Each structure stands twice: as structure tokens, then as C-alpha cells.
Amino acid sequence: MAAITTALLLSACGDKAPADSAAAPAATAGKGELNLYTTREPGLVQPLLDAFTAETGIKVNTVMLRDGLTERLAAEGERSPADVLMTADTGRLLDVVEAGHTQAIDSAVLTAAIPAHLRSADGQWFALSLRDRVVYADKDLDLSGFTYEDLADEKWKGRVCIRSGQHPYNTSLFAAMIAHNGAQATESWLSAVKGNLARKAAGGDRDVARDILAGICDIGIANAYYVGRMKNAEEGSEQRAWGDAIQVVRPVFAADNGGTHVNISGAAVARHAPNRDNAVKLLEYLVGEQAQSLYARANYEYPVRAGVELDPVVASFGAMNIDPLPLAEVVANRKLASELVDKVGFDN
């Protein structure tokens, strides 16, 4: 276990994916193998797959894809060799489900480990880990009881940083805001948040921490797991300085007893999976205690399985009250959220 964890810690340091794999594995079934199509970063997923192979003896043939997962599956049709489909975003996962590229799985292991609102009721898809969308704030600010709606407060004028509103992390958040508060209120909120920006909505999540350190802004929205990477970076490094400059506050939606917004990494079994039984074994392994610990301790993501020990940095953020809004309801509002981003000129 220690060796596996060390390998994952080392691998997770890399953020860049290689070029998409052009060749797919053969579509024939193999007793001791399965074929994975994934949009996740290799450094985050491969050590988990290696651990699965070490425990089960099942080889995982991996095809890494940046984009075009749905289109590839459509082109391959019934000849597709894909067994498991894995993505790093709820929307992309449900896209392949809605396109008819998945099949229902009835697994007591998955049902017991994953809360109902983090999996489909018909067994078509399952969350494997969570990424909470939080506030990065200057370490000296007092932000107790913060809500996502508070980002529109005029007191933050010229003090907010955020990446592009069209990035999937943000359209997911905005879609959840629509589900909670309605489209008209969300449009007004987006306009007000834009008016509070200290700079153009651009860059990445870690750039929010960088710009707080530089005094460009005081608060911003970003994913929590990046803070684990920054605060655990080498002493004296640039990223460590960014992490040390901020605190993390988990906002909640003010309406409807809302909680903290989460996106997911998740997976489904492909519709024409030639190695279906092995595919189910992989999903069940990934929600087990060992794999969930690797997600939590090395990737700094939030486990879907209860009772898994968190990385100390992530644990320091305090308890997370996950928004109970069904993820399918969030995804249903993605297109409207994207349209509102353009309508208010959020990225201009």
C-alpha cells in the first residue's frame, strides 16, 4: 500500500496529458483484461489502475482522450472495444449516457459506497471522487458563513478573481445556481459577479491563488484539490507560496438548504463492453477503501465513500456539506448557463 501511495503522489504532480491515443485495443474479450476510455489526466488515474491490476491480475488497456469521447464511441458503434468510460466532469459523463453509449449496472457494492445523489438511479453512471468548488481568500480575511450568492455583493467590487465562465468547472456551478435560484436571478448574479472582478475572467484555478498573493484580488472561486497540491508543494517553490497566501472557505447555496457545489470524476460501463464483468470489477475496486484513500491522500480529491481519511490539508478545510441537488439536474442546466455567460459578457 505504501509503495502504491508513493507512486501516485509522484505521478499526480504532472498536469499535462499526452496526445490522444489514436489506436484502440482490439474489441475481442479477454479473460484477464479490460479496455478503458478516459479523459482524466494520466498522472491521476494510471497509478490507480496499476493498483487494480496488482490486486486482481486484470490488465487495463487505456485510451486517453482529451475530447471527442462521445463522437468516438458513435463512430465505433457495436464494434467499440471500450469497457469502461471515465471522465473528470459530470456533464461529459452524462453526455455519453444520454447518447446511449452506456449500460445499466446493478451492483450492491457501488450502491452501498456511493450516495444516491452521486449516481444514477438506473445504474448508468457512478461518481468516484468529488471536486468541491470553493472560495480561495486572502489568509487574513474573516469569511465565516459565506455563500455563493455573496460573490455578487458590492463590497467585493474589484476584489474577485475567477477563470473563464465558459470553463466546465464554472458552467457546472452556474448551472447549479440556476437550479436553485432560477435563470433570471442567476443572470443578475452573473452580471453582479462580473462587476466585482478584479481582472478579466481567465487563466486557471491556481492563478486565483497567485493573484491573491500578488494583491490583485482578495477572493476567488476555484477547486479545493488544487490547494492540496499547492500547500504540499516543495518549501520555497512558487506554488507553495501561492498556497500559503490563501485560506479555503467552503461556500453553500443560500437557497433551498443548499450545500457546497461539487463536480465529479466518474465512470460508466460501455454499452457494448466485451469485458463487462471485468469492467464492473474495476468500478467496484475504485470505490473500495484502498482506492478511495488514494483519491483522497494523493489526488487531494474528496472521496465518495464515507469514513475515508483525508489528506491533512483537505481535512483542515473542515466538514463539507455537499449540495444535495441531483447532479443530473445540474447538467440539465449547462447549456442555459453557458448562454447566460455569453449574454452578460462574463469573459469579455
Side-chain angles (χ1 to χ4, degrees):
M1 174 66 183
I4 294 170
T5 303
T6 300
L8 186 52
L9 282 164
L10 293 173
S11 299
C13 295
D15 287 341
K16 295 182 179 178
D20 297 348
S21 302
T28 56
K31 182 177 181 181
E33 65 180 325
L34 67 88
N35 303 316
L36 170 69
Y37 281 14
T38 178
T39 65
R40 295 223 64 189
E41 296 172 3
L44 298 180
V45 68
Q46 191 59 51
L48 283 161
L49 303 178
D50 291 342
F52 169 73
T53 298
E55 179 167 309
T56 65
I58 298 171
K59 178 184 177 184
V60 182
N61 305 310
T62 305
V63 176
M64 299 289 183
L65 299 162
R66 285 196 184 95
D67 298 297
L69 175 60
T70 302
E71 292 78 8
R72 180 161 184 160
L73 292 166
E76 292 174 346
E78 294 182 6
R79 298 173 291 103
S80 178
D83 293 304
V84 174
L85 312 174
M86 182 184 294
T87 75
D89 173 68
T90 314
R92 290 178 178 175
L93 183 58
L94 267 66
D95 282 345
V96 298
V97 173
E98 292 169 1
H101 297 309
T102 62
Q103 61 175 285
I105 298 300
D106 183 9
S107 166
V109 172
L110 295 172
T111 300
I114 306 171
H117 66 289
L118 297 176
R119 52 182 166 82
S120 65
D122 59 358
Q124 293 282 347
W125 61 268
F126 304 89
L128 302 175
S129 65
L130 307 179
R131 298 173 167 194
D132 42 327
R133 202 82 179 135
V134 301
V135 166
Y136 293 3
D138 183 283
K139 63 183 180 181
D140 295 324
L141 284 177
D142 181 5
L143 286 184
S144 58
F146 201 85
T147 69
Y148 293 108
E149 287 85 349
D150 288 338
L151 288 166
D153 193 309
E154 287 187 355
K155 75 177 183 180
W156 299 114
K157 190 171 184 64
R159 301 172 68 186
V160 178
C161 286
I162 194 170
R163 73 191 307 163
S164 168
Q166 289 293 6
H167 190 278
Y169 293 163
N170 282 333
T171 54
S172 178
L173 172 63
F174 303 159
M177 183 69 74
I178 292 171
H180 278 294
N181 298 325
Q184 184 173 351
T186 300
E187 180 181 342
S188 298
W189 176 80
L190 280 170
S191 294
V193 175
K194 175 180 169 55
N196 286 344
L197 295 182
R199 57 159 172 78
K200 183 177 179 179
D205 281 2
R206 278 172 284 197
D207 293 335
V208 174
R210 177 200 66 189
D211 290 347
I212 289 174
L213 175 63
I216 295 172
C217 46
D218 293 319
I219 63 172
I221 287 288
N223 279 353
Y225 78 97
Y226 287 113
V227 182
R229 295 188 188 185
M230 291 187 290
K231 288 185 178 290
N232 283 307
E234 184 179 353
E235 187 75 41
S237 67
E238 187 176 53
Q239 291 208 33
R240 179 64 176 267
W242 301 346
D244 289 344
I246 64 170
Q247 60 174 305
V248 169
V249 176
R250 285 193 170 115
V252 297
F253 290 102
D256 302 329
N257 297 313
T260 298
H261 176 67
V262 298
N263 206 328
I264 68 167
S265 71
V269 174
R271 180 178 180 181
H272 304 294
N275 302 288
R276 183 185 185 278
D277 290 346
N278 289 347
V280 174
K281 288 178 182 178
L282 176 60
L283 295 192
E284 291 179 343
Y285 173 81
L286 291 175
V287 298
E289 291 184 7
Q290 176 174 306
Q292 288 288 293
S293 179
L294 294 179
Y295 273 120
R297 301 281 294 182
N299 288 1
Y300 310 111
E301 294 176 287
Y302 210 88
V304 295
R305 187 184 185 94
V308 174
E309 185 177 0
L310 302 174
D311 172 81
V313 170
V314 177
S316 73
F317 305 158
M320 181 165 66
N321 174 27
I322 299 172
D323 191 33
L325 191 70
L327 294 180
E329 190 172 343
V330 175
V331 171
N333 287 300
R334 281 184 307 155
K335 182 178 179 181
L336 179 55
S338 177
E339 291 171 351
L340 292 180
V341 167
D342 285 342
K343 184 175 181 180
V344 305
F346 194 85
D347 290 348
N348 298 342

